[in-house]
């Protein structure tokens, strides 16, 4: 049987290795669209601050790893999937037949329609090629403007700050990490970053990236004729607040979109991402999806979501791979979890952190100690939470939210004192006579 996997990120690699382990005689082909060995994007900030070299970003180490596994790596980009012919057309014009197909094409940076954004000196921080360009330009003292202060933006921000640049962050939302944190938590993260020397604008848009009269190098750059890391003509970033900021480098971290455009008119159902069932199969038999491009059911929110975090990518890949070889496996749910280290401030977000209609909530904040806890309830179930500086309760919060544990009277006790999370967790486990999920989640 031939298994074709589109995407050479964590989902693609884990799926390929899972198939190889359980179906040693099947053919496994992984298609990646970058020249490098499969690597983790989450390691790029560590590359920028010098904690790892480029090889340290690789998902697997050791020369010939994939060859020894009997996994064929091929460079290319999918242009079209023909579900009737059971084949994939690649950008070089070739076609590749499959018996089983896994769509693990991940996501790409969303580029906002800002004048000047495609010129020299503006980069996302998404690929190793991006990292090389940023490392060449983000030298100590360089004036760097970062657009976006979401989860990915905050990780990039830490790497830039450690490189000694003069960093300014511009976020359209009214707070930092607006899709992960409520107003109090997001504001606390902003105040912390400002104390660390990062200038932060919220409720502000970049309206244009302006350059002096473009020189020949700028025109060549826009046409793809020179290397990205060649220094740009000095830039001025114009903000909606009216400010004009000088910049040597602009980082675009304004979100990502699933790479699913090639599936248009294929017959494979896509919403935000590729819609899958509990076995990660699409509406077309034998075609599966996993990772940042997959849309799966989340039992906490009761809807399908794309949750682009690596633990989800890994578990979805495993489940999809097992089903591709005929071993029944189901996805227990999508993990909505983000734990973030922002210049030393640890924050966490789980589930429906912004609450549900008619639900109850409680907040406890100590700004002097840099601690904040917000709990959201639906009846007597904890459905979401935010925390800052409450690292000892991270496992407990995840267990209660993902386990959809009925708290009974403990819900009212937590409304009075949200710090009793551990006591509530253990009491409910004892009442149910089940400590297995305590050990698993804590």
């Amino acid at each position: 049987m031939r298994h074709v996997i589109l995407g050479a990120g964590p989902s693609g690699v884990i799926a390929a290795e899972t198939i190889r382990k359980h179906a040693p005689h099947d053919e496994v082909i992984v298609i990646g669209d970058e020249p490098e060995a499969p690597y983790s994007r989450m390691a790029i900030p560590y590359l920028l601050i010098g904690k790892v070299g480029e090889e340290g970003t690789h998902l697997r180490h050791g020369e010939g790893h994939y060859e020894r596994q009997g996994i064929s790596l091929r460079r290319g980009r999918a242009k079209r999937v023909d579900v009737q012919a059971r084949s994939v057309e690649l950008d070089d014009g070739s076609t590749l037949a499959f018996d089983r197909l896994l769509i693990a094409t991940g996501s790409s940076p969303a580029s906002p329609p800002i004048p000047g954004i495609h010129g020299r000196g503006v980069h996302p921080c998404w690929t190793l090629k991006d990292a090389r360009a940023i490392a060449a330009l983000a030298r100590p003292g360089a004036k760097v403007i970062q657009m976006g202060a979401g989860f990915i933006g905050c990780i990039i921000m830490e790497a830039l700050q450690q490189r000694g640049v003069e960093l300014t962050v511009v976020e359209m939302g009214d707070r930092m990490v607006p899709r992960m944190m409520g107003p109090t938590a997001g504001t606390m993260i902003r105040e912390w970053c400002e104390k660390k020397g990062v200038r932060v604008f919220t409720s502000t848009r970049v309206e244009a990236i302006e350059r002096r009269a473009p020189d020949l190098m700028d025109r060549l750059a826009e046409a793809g004729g020179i290397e990205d890391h060649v220094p740009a003509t000095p830039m001025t970033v114009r903000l909606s607040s009216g400010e004009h900021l000088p910049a040597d480098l602009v980082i675009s971290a304004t979100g990502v979109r699933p790479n699913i455009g090639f599936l248009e008119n294929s017959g494979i159902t896509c919403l935000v991402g590729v819609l899958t069932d509990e076995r990660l199969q699409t509406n077309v038999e034998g075609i599966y999806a996993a990772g940042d491009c997959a849309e799966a059911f989340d039992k906490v929110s009761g809807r399908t979501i794309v949750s682009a975090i690596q633990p989800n990518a890994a578990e979805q890949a495993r489940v999809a791979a097992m089903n591709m070889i005929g071993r029944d496996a189901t996805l227990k749910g999508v993990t909505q979890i983000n734990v973030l280290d922002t210049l030393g401030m640890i924050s966490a977000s789980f589930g429906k952190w912004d609450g549900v209609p008619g639900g109850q909530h409680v907040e406890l904040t100590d700004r002097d100690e840099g601690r904040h806890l917000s709990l959201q309830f639906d009846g007597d179930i904890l459905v979401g939470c935010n925390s800052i500086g409450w690292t000892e309760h991270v496992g407990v919060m995840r267990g209660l939210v993902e386990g959809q544990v009925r708290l009974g009277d403990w819900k009212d006790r937590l409304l009075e004192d949200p710090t009793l999370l551990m006591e509530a967790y253990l009491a409910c486990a004892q009442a149910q006579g089940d400590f297995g999920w305590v050990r698993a989640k804590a």
Side-chain angles (χ1 to χ4, degrees):
M1 182 174 289
R2 173 182 279 186
H3 304 273
V4 173
I5 298 171
L6 303 178
S11 289
V13 168
I14 290 170
E17 292 177 342
T18 302
I19 292 170
R20 174 55 64 239
K21 178 180 178 180
H22 296 283
H25 303 297
D26 285 4
E27 185 179 4
V28 182
I29 302 172
V30 177
I31 310 294
D33 63 357
E34 293 186 54
E36 291 85 8
Y39 66 92
S40 170
R41 302 195 194 284
M42 295 303 295
I44 287 177
Y46 299 100
L47 173 65
L48 288 173
I49 60 179
K51 285 189 176 181
V52 300
E54 286 199 12
E55 287 190 2
T57 68
H58 292 175
L59 291 168
R60 301 293 181 263
H61 302 284
E63 189 175 351
H65 169 80
Y66 297 98
E67 291 84 351
R68 290 193 302 273
Q69 290 276 318
I71 296 169
S72 175
L73 293 180
R74 180 170 172 177
R75 187 178 178 188
R77 183 186 294 268
K79 286 185 63 178
R80 190 173 72 91
V81 174
D82 188 330
V83 301
Q84 300 300 324
R86 311 291 282 183
S87 66
V88 178
E89 180 184 346
L90 301 180
D91 57 355
D92 62 2
S94 65
T95 59
L96 190 61
F98 63 83
D99 297 302
R100 298 286 183 271
L101 177 69
L102 176 65
I103 302 164
T105 47
S107 55
S108 295
S111 182
I114 297 171
I117 196 168
H118 297 298
R120 206 153 39 108
V122 182
H123 299 278
C125 186
W126 197 246
T127 66
L128 286 177
K129 182 181 178 182
D130 295 329
R132 296 179 195 119
I134 290 168
L137 297 172
R139 301 185 181 280
K143 294 178 174 60
V144 179
I145 311 296
Q146 178 178 300
M147 298 187 297
F151 181 82
I152 293 172
C154 284
I155 295 173
I156 298 168
M157 179 183 65
E158 174 137 12
L160 292 170
Q161 195 249 12
Q162 290 194 38
R163 291 183 68 87
V165 305
E166 293 182 21
L167 180 60
T168 300
V169 175
V170 181
E171 167 58 47
M172 289 179 60
D174 63 356
R175 59 191 182 276
M176 294 186 72
V177 216
R179 295 184 180 179
M180 169 181 161
M181 290 290 173
T184 302
T187 300
M188 289 177 68
I189 294 173
R190 172 184 175 170
E191 292 169 352
W192 175 262
C193 291
E194 290 173 335
K195 287 179 183 177
K196 295 291 184 176
V198 178
R199 192 179 185 190
V200 181
F201 291 87
T202 54
S203 300
T204 306
R205 300 184 314 278
V206 171
E207 293 194 331
I209 300 169
E210 301 167 340
R211 297 170 178 83
R212 297 170 190 171
D215 61 15
L216 176 62
M217 298 293 277
D218 287 313
R219 295 189 181 98
L220 285 173
E222 292 197 17
I226 61 171
E227 292 296 321
D228 291 334
H229 62 262
V230 175
T233 300
M235 295 173 284
T236 298
V237 176
R238 176 159 52 87
L239 305 183
S240 59
S241 62
E243 297 216 32
H244 292 69
L245 307 178
D248 301 304
L249 168 65
V250 176
I251 304 291
S252 179
T254 53
V256 297
R257 294 191 182 99
N259 294 323
I260 58 175
F262 69 99
L263 297 174
E264 188 175 0
N265 300 319
S266 68
I268 299 170
T269 300
C270 297
L271 300 177
V272 176
V274 184
L275 190 63
T276 64
D277 63 17
E278 62 182 357
R279 290 172 172 78
L280 277 304
Q281 188 168 235
T282 69
N283 63 303
V284 179
E285 186 176 355
I287 298 180
Y288 298 78
D292 292 8
C293 68
E295 185 164 346
F297 184 74
D298 170 47
K299 62 183 180 181
V300 174
S301 65
R303 58 188 177 90
T304 56
I305 64 170
V306 176
S307 184
I309 60 175
Q310 196 151 311
N312 283 331
E315 179 60 9
Q316 290 174 4
R318 184 194 69 81
V319 171
M322 294 300 285
N323 285 291
M324 290 168 73
I325 59 173
R327 303 277 191 93
D328 186 57
T330 58
L331 188 70
K332 292 183 172 61
V334 177
T335 297
Q336 291 192 77
I337 169 178
N338 286 296
V339 179
L340 181 63
D341 182 346
T342 308
L343 307 181
M345 173 175 273
I346 308 299
S347 59
S349 176
F350 298 91
K352 289 288 295 176
W353 58 267
D354 51 350
V356 296
Q360 294 176 281
H361 76 278
V362 60
E363 284 195 6
L364 180 66
T365 304
D366 186 339
R367 289 180 179 270
D368 291 338
E369 292 295 324
R371 289 163 72 87
H372 169 74
L373 187 59
S374 171
L375 306 181
Q376 301 285 346
F377 299 92
D378 184 3
D380 67 345
I381 295 175
L382 181 68
V383 293
C385 49
N386 275 170
S387 73
I388 290 177
W390 232 284
T391 55
E392 66 272 26
H393 285 338
V394 167
V396 169
M397 288 185 278
R398 178 180 178 181
L400 288 171
V401 171
E402 290 190 349
Q404 295 185 295
V405 179
R406 291 207 167 274
L407 294 163
D409 293 341
W410 274 98
K411 189 279 296 282
D412 293 327
R413 296 176 69 176
L414 288 171
L415 286 172
E416 293 179 4
D417 184 356
T419 68
L420 297 176
L421 278 167
M422 179 62 78
E423 290 84 348
Y425 191 69
L426 294 174
C428 291
Q430 186 176 31
Q432 295 176 31
D434 180 8
F435 282 89
W437 56 269
V438 174
R439 290 189 295 270
K441 299 289 186 181

